Amino acid sequence: MEALEEREIYGYTFCDACTTPFCGIKAHVKEGKITKIESWENFPNGPLCAKGYATLQTEYSPARLGYPLMRTNPKGSPDPGWIRISWEKAYEIIAQKLKEIREKYGPESVLFYVGDPKEPRLAVSRLASVFGSPNYGTESSTCYRAAALASQLVFGVTSAAMAAAMGSISEQTKSILIWGTNPAWTSHTLMPRLFAAKSRGVKFIVIDPRRTPTAEKLADIHLRPRPGTDGALALGMAEIVIERGLYDKNFVKEWVYGFDSFKDYVKGFTPDKVERITGVKATDIENASMMYAENSPGTLLAGVSTLMHNTNGVQNFRAILSLIAILGYFDVPGGVAVPTYPLLPFFISGDMLRTAEEMLDVDFVKLKDKIAMKEKRVDREFVPVWADLVPEQIQMNFLPEYVKSGKIKAALLFAANATMWPQYREYQEALEKLEFSVAVDYFLRPWTHNYVDIVLPAATNYERSEPFAVFGRKVYVRKPVVKPYMEARSDWQIVFDIAVRLGYAEDFWGGDTKKAMDWILEKAVGITTDEVQIPEGKVIPPPGPEIFRKYETGMLRKDKEKGFPTPTGKVEIWSTVLEKYGFDPLPVYKEPEESPVSRPELAEKYPLVLMTGDRIPVFTHSKHRELSWVREIVPFPQVNMNPEDAAKRGIKEGDLVTLETLHGSVKVKAHLTYMLPEGVVDLPHGWASVPEANANDVVGRLFDPISGFPSFKTGLCEVRRGA
């Protein structure tokens, strides 16, 4: 009888398969179990993709980590000797060890880190500040943050990079420059807006070495430069715009610093020369430049991580932003617009500093304390520009050096993956050498956890409430859909519990995470989580209309003076900050350290240009490889290569091949596709569970000296048939 059966109820949560929180999930729950999931109606992001549906397999995977584990064998042993311990025992050990290390070496010797999912960022960052360590890091030290740094150097705000990443598109937009990104695979929720723009006549220029679905469906002009030469292409486009007088002369005269020097510099980047550098036909460069300049205003949709993964990444991105600047496309209707009244970007944890720190005066992460401790940052000698302009997080790519120098002795790691870095075994060794380390995760992952002392089980997105979500002017909250698996706890709760046991109960609301979220919302917009209805969400009306050209009214500067929050008060194509630290102040182009031009002798042995880290539609980085729903679509590690390159090497579809670089080799299957141009191969990353196929084995530790970003997109390799 139906009356005797428990009725089906609905729960609402956020998907954490990509950038979190991303899409909305509506879960059907019966007798305490999720029976089905679908897209959350009217949620800003959606519909769910294959990765989103696969999160249900994560929830009910028999391999889930269900209770705290502690190693019993010494580090370096083949078997850590994991044993089950209670939460109280785990907290007792963690608090005791962290206190001992703080007393012996200082609080700055403890590293606090958040990988992906990113939702614990605010909580972990706050704990680092309260503990007294400025050494808090995230996976953004290989992702978005370098592009934001380039935006700071040019415009004084990180918002240009955020607008480029999210797609600042409106009815006034007349042209869209899609550079180094494939939203059809990486941001599918953006595609309807792009198709709508196409239907109303917006012109599209797509710049990508690959023939992506985005390029095939949208591009009026598709430019395919050699990987790593994007800066030269941007400078060549600027040369055409300037030489033909198509730039915004009034904006340049009033608001651009260093234009004359920039104008002289780009004279060397004629269409013919840029063709020789990039491989893009001179006529195509001219046509694209004219289309973008004549269809004004234009906006930018950029791969804010992919474009940074080479040894000249910041300067290349500065060249792209300089093109935006001289065309007058910054903060205008239809251009690369900066929101006037954005709500707190809670999950970014300070990446948009003007919003979090100056406009709303919400300092949950205690950023002021981090700035006061900046002399104790471990990255200052490696990336001084980053250490100066990125106060919220250190550059993590030099972790082996931090440990070898004795400056980092312990680590608290949330959602960490030791194989995400180039030559990752050096990072595993660094973790192993720490006096103490703790990891928090959904699963026990040997490639990371074999090198730590304690592993704690994390609650999934279906089992946690923290944190809330913000989209534009609308706030969404969630409640746990089901009870946590076994003894799993939410990341925020783990942070708060550790904080209380360290003696920081007052700074962490006595361990109550809801009170913390209410504090943020009340401080920012004057509401609490209880005032946000599920699933409707709550709109926070803006205090006024959207305003453009904010530099004209003092809305970009803390002192309310007109201009940009740069040292000169202008858009700095000539960066006074880079000049101060001894770098080229102009957005100069330099060949990647490993390229056919800079290393011709290396190219003789390794004639193919190697890109790694490109997204696969059903995976986000290393996530979900253990889930059959998506693993069945791409079951094996593979290298993508042009059929012409394959034929020269006697390689057929599905053959086992060895891809070799100066730094190592991997064994994968060959996938032949005309998506790649001749001479370029693409090795997808994230196969940590298949060590002999991990892309980071073949990537060298070559870093952009300004940002510290690794060279994932510009290596040299050879591919041969067989193992």
Side-chain angles (χ1 to χ4, degrees):
M1 294 176 58
E2 183 177 355
L4 298 179
E5 296 177 359
E6 183 178 331
R7 293 176 52 199
E8 185 174 66
I9 60 174
Y10 303 119
Y12 296 86
T13 187
F14 316 134
C15 179
D16 65 358
C18 299
T19 301
T20 47
F22 204 53
C23 296
I25 296 176
K26 178 181 179 180
H28 297 243
V29 182
K30 191 171 185 179
E31 297 180 359
K33 300 215 60 164
I34 302 171
T35 59
K36 182 177 75 170
I37 61 173
E38 57 185 321
S39 298
W40 182 333
E41 304 98 323
N42 302 315
F43 197 78
N45 276 0
L48 291 177
C49 68
K51 291 173 287 189
Y53 284 105
T55 59
L56 193 55
Q57 270 200 310
T58 298
E59 177 64 29
Y60 292 116
S61 169
R64 279 279 304 275
L65 183 62
Y67 39 77
L69 296 175
M70 181 180 71
R71 74 162 48 245
T72 57
N73 292 331
K75 287 184 178 179
S77 303
D79 177 11
W82 297 117
I83 62 169
R84 179 177 182 173
I85 60 174
S86 69
W87 275 102
E88 284 308 310
K89 182 64 174 178
Y91 286 149
E92 177 187 343
I93 295 171
I94 293 168
Q96 178 183 343
K97 289 289 188 180
L98 292 183
K99 288 177 181 179
E100 289 175 356
I101 290 170
R102 180 180 59 191
E103 291 301 316
K104 189 174 181 180
Y105 305 108
E108 67 275 10
S109 65
V110 179
L111 168 70
F112 297 81
Y113 175 81
V114 178
D116 189 356
K118 306 174 184 180
E119 291 173 321
R121 283 187 176 188
L122 279 178
V124 177
S125 182
R126 182 180 180 88
L127 178 58
S129 297
V130 174
F131 188 80
S133 176
N135 296 317
Y136 160 77
T138 78
E139 51 74 46
S140 275
S141 56
T142 59
C143 188
Y144 156 80
R145 199 52 182 88
L149 173 61
S151 176
Q152 285 176 272
L153 290 167
V154 176
F155 298 111
V157 295
T158 64
S159 310
M162 180 58 70
M166 303 303 292
S168 178
I169 305 164
S170 73
E171 294 292 328
Q172 291 86 3
T173 301
K174 295 296 187 293
S175 59
I176 300 176
L177 181 58
I178 301 180
W179 203 316
T181 186
N182 177 24
W185 285 2
T186 62
S187 303
H188 71 281
T189 59
L190 185 60
M191 293 304 291
R193 292 171 58 198
L194 296 176
F195 283 124
K198 182 77 172 178
S199 68
R200 62 176 181 265
V202 172
K203 299 297 183 182
F204 282 82
I205 302 106
V206 177
I207 300 178
D208 197 312
R210 306 161 300 165
R211 290 176 55 183
T212 64
T214 300
E216 296 294 292
K217 294 294 184 181
L218 293 173
D220 293 286
I221 297 176
H222 180 197
L223 308 182
R224 305 179 74 184
R226 172 167 57 89
T229 63
D230 304 274
L233 182 54
L235 294 169
M237 295 176 72
E239 190 275 336
I240 293 169
V241 166
I242 294 171
E243 191 271 333
R244 302 187 186 186
L246 299 175
Y247 63 97
D248 189 327
K249 299 176 182 63
N250 291 330
F251 180 80
V252 166
K253 180 180 179 180
E254 183 73 19
W255 297 113
V256 175
Y257 181 80
F259 177 75
D260 289 340
S261 297
F262 181 69
K263 179 180 178 181
D264 290 340
Y265 180 65
V266 300
K267 286 179 181 178
F269 291 84
T270 62
D272 288 338
K273 181 176 179 179
V274 175
E275 178 178 343
R276 291 193 296 273
I277 295 173
T278 65
V280 179
K281 291 182 179 180
T283 53
D284 290 340
I285 298 170
E286 294 181 62
N287 291 337
S289 304
M290 297 292 289
M291 177 179 287
Y292 195 47
E294 292 176 346
N295 290 275
S296 175
T299 192
L300 173 68
L301 177 59
V304 292
S305 58
T306 57
L307 291 170
M308 314 310 298
H309 287 159
N310 63 81
T311 52
N312 201 52
V314 168
Q315 293 288 44
N316 287 348
F317 203 71
R318 286 187 67 235
I320 296 170
L321 295 179
S322 296
L323 176 64
I324 299 297
I326 66 173
L327 286 168
Y329 290 170
F330 179 77
D331 204 26
V332 296
V336 180
V338 177
T340 307
Y341 305 107
L343 295 184
L344 181 68
F346 71 95
F347 66 93
I348 298 171
S349 184
D351 282 353
M352 292 176 64
L353 297 180
R354 285 196 51 76
T355 299
E357 181 62 8
E358 296 174 13
M359 292 184 175
L360 293 178
D361 193 30
V362 179
D363 192 10
F364 182 83
V365 302
K366 294 184 175 288
L367 192 60
K368 294 182 178 70
D369 292 348
K370 295 184 193 297
I371 294 171
M373 296 184 286
K374 65 181 181 181
E375 296 301 323
K376 296 181 179 181
R377 288 177 60 128
V378 291
D379 59 351
R380 292 187 63 80
E381 64 180 281
F382 296 93
V383 277
V385 176
W386 174 284
D388 186 5
L389 294 189
V390 187
E392 80 277 7
Q393 60 178 289
I394 63 167
Q395 175 49 265
M396 285 294 300
N397 289 315
F398 303 102
L399 176 62
E401 286 75 16
Y402 304 154
V403 176
K404 288 176 185 177
S405 68
K407 293 181 178 179
I408 293 297
K409 296 290 187 178
L412 187 57
L413 310 164
F414 286 76
N417 176 10
T419 70
M420 67 170 282
W421 290 286
Q423 299 301 301
Y424 62 88
R425 287 176 175 80
E426 294 187 36
Y427 296 81
Q428 292 173 329
E429 291 171 7
L431 292 179
E432 191 172 68
K433 290 178 181 177
L434 292 174
E435 292 191 12
F436 181 70
S437 56
V438 180
V440 184
D441 212 317
Y442 296 152
F443 299 95
L444 187 65
R445 307 181 196 270
W447 50 89
T448 299
H449 301 147
N450 276 9
Y451 306 94
V452 306
D453 297 285
I454 289 177
V455 185
L456 303 176
T460 69
N461 57 307
Y462 296 101
E463 301 164 356
R464 59 181 183 253
S465 60
E466 316 92 351
F468 51 82
V470 175
F471 294 91
R473 300 292 309 178
K474 198 165 187 180
V475 178
Y476 289 86
V477 300
R478 62 181 173 185
K479 294 181 179 179
V481 174
V482 292
K483 293 180 179 179
Y485 173 70
M486 296 182 70
E487 296 180 15
R489 297 186 181 182
S490 77
D491 297 305
W492 275 59
Q493 192 61 61
I494 294 170
V495 174
F496 277 48
D497 289 345
I498 292 173
V500 170
R501 283 158 180 80
L502 286 170
Y504 306 136
E506 185 175 346
D507 285 296
F508 284 83
W509 292 270
D512 190 329
T513 61
K514 182 180 182 301
K515 289 181 179 178
M517 291 192 294
D518 285 340
W519 182 92
I520 298 171
L521 280 177
E522 285 181 311
K523 188 83 169 173
V525 292
I527 64 171
T528 66
T529 54
D530 290 335
E531 296 175 64
V532 182
Q533 297 297 312
I534 303 174
E536 294 82 4
K538 186 174 181 64
V539 175
I540 309 297
E546 196 67 28
I547 299 171
F548 296 94
R549 299 181 178 87
K550 288 179 273 296
Y551 48 85
E552 295 181 343
T553 58
M555 294 187 68
L556 288 182
R557 294 177 62 95
K558 189 175 183 179
D559 60 13
K560 308 302 180 184
E561 294 292 324
K562 294 181 181 180
F564 293 80
T566 60
T568 61
K570 295 185 176 185
V571 173
E572 291 200 353
I573 293 181
W574 178 287
S575 171
T576 57
V577 175
L578 292 183
E579 184 179 26
K580 168 186 171 184
Y581 284 103
F583 293 101
D584 290 301
L586 289 173
V588 299
Y589 173 71
K590 293 181 180 179
E591 276 285 325
E593 286 189 28
E594 288 186 3
S595 81
V597 176
S598 59
R599 296 289 303 276
E601 80 289 353
L602 189 63
E604 290 184 11
K605 183 176 181 180
Y606 303 112
L608 299 171
V609 176
L610 171 65
M611 300 190 299
T612 71
D614 295 340
R615 292 281 185 91
I616 298 174
V618 295
F619 297 136
T620 300
H621 307 309
S622 63
K623 296 159 74 173
H624 309 314
R625 304 300 165 111
E626 64 279 333
L627 305 179
S628 62
W629 288 358
V630 286
R631 179 70 176 264
E632 288 172 355
I633 301 173
V634 183
F636 307 110
Q638 62 188 27
V639 59
N640 302 311
M641 61 189 307
N642 186 282
E644 306 302 323
D645 290 326
K648 294 175 185 176
R649 293 161 174 80
I651 295 172
K652 297 183 175 64
E653 176 70 27
D655 280 353
L656 180 66
V657 298
T658 298
L659 185 150
E660 182 181 2
T661 74
L662 179 66
H663 311 285
S665 65
V666 293
K667 297 175 177 63
V668 293
K669 291 192 174 184
H671 174 56
L672 312 189
T673 171
Y674 284 104
M675 182 177 180
L676 274 298
E678 287 189 60
V680 177
V681 299
D682 168 28
L683 180 65
H685 67 310
W687 292 94
S689 58
V690 188
E692 64 272 17
N694 194 311
N696 288 334
D697 263 327
V698 300
V699 178
R701 294 190 73 222
L702 304 173
F703 301 108
D704 178 352
I706 298 173
S707 68
F709 267 46
S711 298
F712 287 137
K713 300 292 185 289
T714 55
L716 291 174
C717 74
E718 179 58 292
V719 180
R720 65 175 185 272
R721 189 168 180 267

